[in-house]
Amino acid sequence: MSGLEVLKGSSQIKYGPHTTGGVINYLSTNIPAGQEFYTRMTYGSDNTLFSHTYFGDTVETSNGAFGYLLEMHYHRSDGFRSVQGHGGLDTGFERIEPMVKLFWEPDSAVKQRFELKLGSTDFDANETYLGLSEADAASGSRDLYSAAQFDNIDTFHYRSYLKYIVEPTDDLKIEATAYYNRFNRNWYKLNKIDGGNLDTALLDPAKITALRGMTAGSVANVKANNRDYYSYGLQLAAQYDFDAGAVHHSVVGGVRYHTDRVRRFQWSDDYVSDGAGDFSFSAPHGAPGDDGNRRQQTDALALFVEDSIQVGKTTIRPGIRYEHLDVEYDEWAKSTAPVPFAKSSDSGSYGIWAGGIGFTHELCDTDTFYGGVYRGVSVPGPRSHLKSDVEEESTLSYELGWRHRRDGFSIDLAGFYTDFSDLIARESIGGGTGADRNAGDVEVLGVELLASYDAAYNCPGFSLPMYVSATWTESEFKTAIASGGEDGIWDGAVAGNQLPYVPEWKLAAGIGFATDQWGVNLDATYTGSQYGTGNNFSAPVTSSRQGKLDSFVLVDLSGYYQINDNWRVLAGVNNLFDKDYISSRVPHGPRNARGRHLYTGFELKF
């Protein structure tokens, strides 16, 4: 990816059906206007290698302009964890990601463009759901218990689109897109120890000993969460600009027909402990389908329209989106093959809508006010909706902000309030078997601030940029949430409790120094304390997901040296002071984040 686009307010109306809080749009690398080659390679701690290379060009021919881009990402690491008693085992990952983009703009009276993108990702990681005991986590350990030595996720992602863009007039632009994606993954991971849930096992000293492989005859159940995901569809969108007197309109509208489907075909295997820190396979192998055999599909027809209305220095953007969803699922009894009499199925349909109105007003050349009111939605999976009557989650969000830009100084200050209705409590975090459910109402409010300043704004030859950002958030359950029987992170919440994993404060600050030839940056981030579950327990009681995550500060240092117009040398240190902290208590128990990480490398561009 070449960048991230964060869309809030009316701009998110083009997307769906999950628009709670906004949309993150991943931007792939553009085809360059002229011949361009770029490569970046870094090498660092834990034998971590990162490589990104692309080559592209746009060529003018007698038949029009032809552009192409060839790109490759490669990323691998040995991992920063160590399997207890198996120091040579790799806990890292490898990712290979090629992409090709092509476009043709015919030499015609009407401006038009054909664009094709093909890409894939091959990813393999020795990653686990299992965390640590409280004592091991508190000690800063980055060990992995022996019972998780077989854990591995293997994925393949294929993605493509074919796009046609035509501009019949200067005021009208039409874009048609056909797309297809397939994602396959098999996460072979520890599921139970001696038949017990891993969340509770990490609170039991005897089970912890078994996880270490020190209890002869203990059985580690490893489950293959094997699934195929498909998404494909067609979208037609258009933009039309026109004036109505002194009012300028820019109307964007579109229709999309989309299908997504998931097919799970899972199995599990048992491994027996030798009592000396190791596990061996216990025959027979599980058969595909004997631990999960299910298919779900959604077909959605979506329509959206948005109008950007400009009157003088004020712009108003009303918009609305509607989606009609046809949902279905098939579920077979756990067996090696679908059996007609052991199958349960259901289907149905429903509609959802999102929309709102936003505004910006330029007070002067340096100051702008903005705000809006929006309705967002998030939909449940087909099986949850049909089998457990889970309805869509909806939000009503308000924001009001102010921006100032002047002489190297900028500030953005905004307040926000979001009212959740029918919050969807996901019971699948960490592989639970229970269904999603509507958990009640939640309120979230807060203030965001971002300020930046270049202290050397008027100094030729160098710059001294600095910034500070702060987000204060208050989150609150408005209704109690009963237990769903899966130790979900929402369970046990009562009115007035904070949402899990929503810290009250997040702060960041940085300063840099740059000349025409070299530069250095120092950045620090602060994340406040947060709770692991909705019951807001300060320490685990019945599940290792419970408890408080302490606040922490991370400091990063990076720099570069520009050798010439083409070559640049890079180096840096992430987590400069080797801070130990618990990054999460999900999926199963506390886990410590990566420590100090050093890297160096180069960039080449011509």
Side-chain angles (χ1 to χ4, degrees), residues 345-397:
S345 302
D346 201 356
S347 62
S349 62
Y350 62 102
I352 60 171
W353 71 274
I357 184 169
F359 78 92
T360 58
H361 177 70
E362 296 182 12
L363 292 172
C364 56
D365 292 340
T366 59
D367 293 85
T368 302
F369 274 113
Y370 63 91
V373 182
Y374 311 103
R375 186 182 194 270
V377 292
S378 187
V379 299
R383 180 174 175 272
S384 296
H385 175 71
L386 296 168
K387 192 172 184 178
S388 304
D389 297 322
V390 181
E391 301 298 327
E392 72 270 15
E393 171 185 297
S394 65
T395 56
L396 193 59
S397 300

Side-chain angles (χ1 to χ4, degrees), residues 577-593:
F577 298 112
D578 199 25
K579 173 66 176 177
D580 287 330
Y581 65 99
I582 294 175
S583 59
S584 178
R585 287 181 169 273
V586 292
H588 293 308
R591 54 182 64 207
N592 288 313

Side-chain angles (χ1 to χ4, degrees), residues 137-208:
S139 72
S141 171
R142 296 187 180 94
D143 282 349
L144 187 62
Y145 296 141
S146 179
Q149 63 182 280
F150 308 103
D151 289 15
N152 172 268
I153 180 170
D154 186 15
T155 76
F156 185 81
H157 181 198
Y158 174 79
R159 53 193 173 275
S160 61
Y161 71 66
L162 178 62
K163 187 179 296 184
Y164 174 67
I165 305 169
V166 61
E167 298 182 30
T169 69
D170 292 339
D171 300 323
L172 177 62
K173 179 179 180 180
I174 301 172
E175 182 175 303
T177 306
Y179 57 92
Y180 176 84
N181 295 277
R182 181 186 176 186
F183 177 73
N184 169 261
R185 62 102 154 178
N186 185 14
W187 200 335
Y188 191 69
K189 56 181 177 58
L190 184 67
N191 184 48
K192 294 180 179 180
I193 186 72
D194 289 333
N197 185 303
L198 297 180
D199 293 326
T200 55
L202 289 172
L203 303 180
D204 183 343
K207 291 292 179 64
I208 295 170

Side-chain angles (χ1 to χ4, degrees), residues 326-519:
D326 292 315
V327 295
E328 62 182 65
Y329 81 92
D330 299 310
E331 186 170 13
W332 291 269
K334 295 180 179 181
S335 62
T336 58
V339 181
F341 60 80
K343 172 184 172 183
S344 62
S345 302
D346 201 356
S347 62
S349 62
Y350 62 102
I352 60 171
W353 71 274
I357 184 169
F359 78 92
T360 58
H361 177 70
E362 296 182 12
L363 292 172
C364 56
D365 292 340
T366 59
D367 293 85
T368 302
F369 274 113
Y370 63 91
V373 182
Y374 311 103
R375 186 182 194 270
V377 292
S378 187
V379 299
R383 180 174 175 272
S384 296
H385 175 71
L386 296 168
K387 192 172 184 178
S388 304
D389 297 322
V390 181
E391 301 298 327
E392 72 270 15
E393 171 185 297
S394 65
T395 56
L396 193 59
S397 300
Y398 308 81
E399 70 170 345
L400 184 64
W402 165 64
R403 295 189 185 101
H404 175 80
R405 307 282 189 272
R406 185 175 183 178
D407 297 337
F409 175 76
S410 67
I411 187 170
D412 196 326
L413 178 66
F416 60 89
Y417 171 79
T418 302
D419 185 8
F420 288 76
S421 296
D422 294 323
L423 174 77
I424 295 179
R426 303 286 185 188
E427 292 296 349
S428 60
I429 296 176
T433 58
D436 296 345
R437 56 200 168 97
N438 292 119
D441 300 334
V442 169
E443 289 183 356
V444 179
L445 62 90
V447 178
E448 295 176 318
L449 168 70
L450 173 63
S452 62
Y453 178 62
D454 186 349
Y457 174 70
N458 289 318
C459 300
F462 74 94
S463 60
L464 190 64
M466 55 189 72
Y467 72 90
V468 62
S469 70
T471 301
W472 171 78
T473 306
E474 182 178 283
S475 62
E476 183 178 331
F477 288 97
K478 305 306 292 184
T479 54
I481 299 178
S483 173
E486 289 291 330
D487 289 323
I489 65 171
W490 311 101
D491 288 2
V494 297
N497 279 14
Q498 295 181 26
L499 267 69
Y501 295 98
V502 181
E504 184 177 12
W505 283 101
K506 294 197 75 173
L507 309 172
I511 186 169
F513 181 84
T515 70
D516 293 335
Q517 194 168 33
W518 64 275

Side-chain angles (χ1 to χ4, degrees), residues 18-71:
H18 300 279
T19 58
T20 296
V23 174
I24 298 177
N25 188 26
Y26 293 80
L27 304 174
S28 58
T29 306
N30 288 321
I31 298 173
Q35 190 175 93
E36 187 174 315
F37 173 83
Y38 171 84
T39 188
R40 173 189 173 106
M41 296 188 70
T42 62
Y43 178 80
S45 304
D46 305 312
N47 197 24
T48 301
L49 175 67
F50 175 81
S51 171
H52 174 207
T53 302
Y54 67 80
F55 176 73
D57 193 7
T58 296
V59 182
E60 296 291 340
T61 72
S62 58
N63 295 315
F66 173 75
Y68 63 91
L69 176 78
L70 305 174
E71 185 176 39

Side-chain angles (χ1 to χ4, degrees), residues 1-286:
M1 295 297 157
S2 64
L4 294 173
E5 185 178 46
V6 179
L7 304 173
K8 299 175 67 177
S10 59
S11 57
Q12 72 193 49
I13 289 167
K14 302 174 186 177
Y15 308 92
H18 300 279
T19 58
T20 296
V23 174
I24 298 177
N25 188 26
Y26 293 80
L27 304 174
S28 58
T29 306
N30 288 321
I31 298 173
Q35 190 175 93
E36 187 174 315
F37 173 83
Y38 171 84
T39 188
R40 173 189 173 106
M41 296 188 70
T42 62
Y43 178 80
S45 304
D46 305 312
N47 197 24
T48 301
L49 175 67
F50 175 81
S51 171
H52 174 207
T53 302
Y54 67 80
F55 176 73
D57 193 7
T58 296
V59 182
E60 296 291 340
T61 72
S62 58
N63 295 315
F66 173 75
Y68 63 91
L69 176 78
L70 305 174
E71 185 176 39
M72 173 67 79
H73 278 91
Y74 178 77
H75 197 185
R76 59 94 52 216
S77 177
D78 287 343
F80 61 88
R81 296 186 177 94
S82 297
V83 181
Q84 288 184 346
H86 300 78
L89 289 181
D90 184 355
T91 62
F93 65 89
E94 182 178 52
R95 178 193 298 269
I96 303 173
E97 192 167 273
M99 185 188 78
V100 59
K101 264 188 180 181
L102 306 170
F103 82 78
W104 175 47
E105 293 180 349
D107 185 12
S108 58
V110 176
K111 185 177 181 180
Q112 52 187 326
R113 177 184 176 114
F114 297 87
E115 185 172 307
L116 173 69
K117 183 178 84 168
L118 301 171
S120 66
T121 301
D122 192 357
F123 178 66
D124 186 275
N126 295 324
E127 187 54 88
T128 180
Y129 270 25
L130 183 65
L132 296 168
S133 70
E134 295 301 308
D136 285 338
S139 72
S141 171
R142 296 187 180 94
D143 282 349
L144 187 62
Y145 296 141
S146 179
Q149 63 182 280
F150 308 103
D151 289 15
N152 172 268
I153 180 170
D154 186 15
T155 76
F156 185 81
H157 181 198
Y158 174 79
R159 53 193 173 275
S160 61
Y161 71 66
L162 178 62
K163 187 179 296 184
Y164 174 67
I165 305 169
V166 61
E167 298 182 30
T169 69
D170 292 339
D171 300 323
L172 177 62
K173 179 179 180 180
I174 301 172
E175 182 175 303
T177 306
Y179 57 92
Y180 176 84
N181 295 277
R182 181 186 176 186
F183 177 73
N184 169 261
R185 62 102 154 178
N186 185 14
W187 200 335
Y188 191 69
K189 56 181 177 58
L190 184 67
N191 184 48
K192 294 180 179 180
I193 186 72
D194 289 333
N197 185 303
L198 297 180
D199 293 326
T200 55
L202 289 172
L203 303 180
D204 183 343
K207 291 292 179 64
I208 295 170
T209 301
L211 288 168
R212 297 180 189 275
M214 305 306 291
T215 304
S218 285
V219 177
N221 176 260
V222 182
K223 187 175 182 178
N225 277 345
N226 178 55
R227 301 175 192 175
D228 261 315
Y229 299 84
Y230 303 84
S231 65
Y232 49 88
L234 298 168
Q235 177 166 296
L236 180 66
Q239 178 178 333
Y240 181 58
D241 295 337
F242 66 94
D243 293 318
V247 180
H248 177 74
H249 293 263
S250 182
V251 180
V252 178
V255 57
R256 181 181 73 178
Y257 185 79
H258 173 87
T259 294
D260 61 52
R261 181 170 72 252
V262 57
R263 182 72 169 92
R264 64 170 66 191
F265 210 47
Q266 304 175 167
W267 67 91
S268 62
D269 297 321
D270 288 336
Y271 294 82
V272 179
S273 172
D274 64 1
D278 206 356
F279 289 80
S280 58
F281 176 70
S282 176
H285 279 289

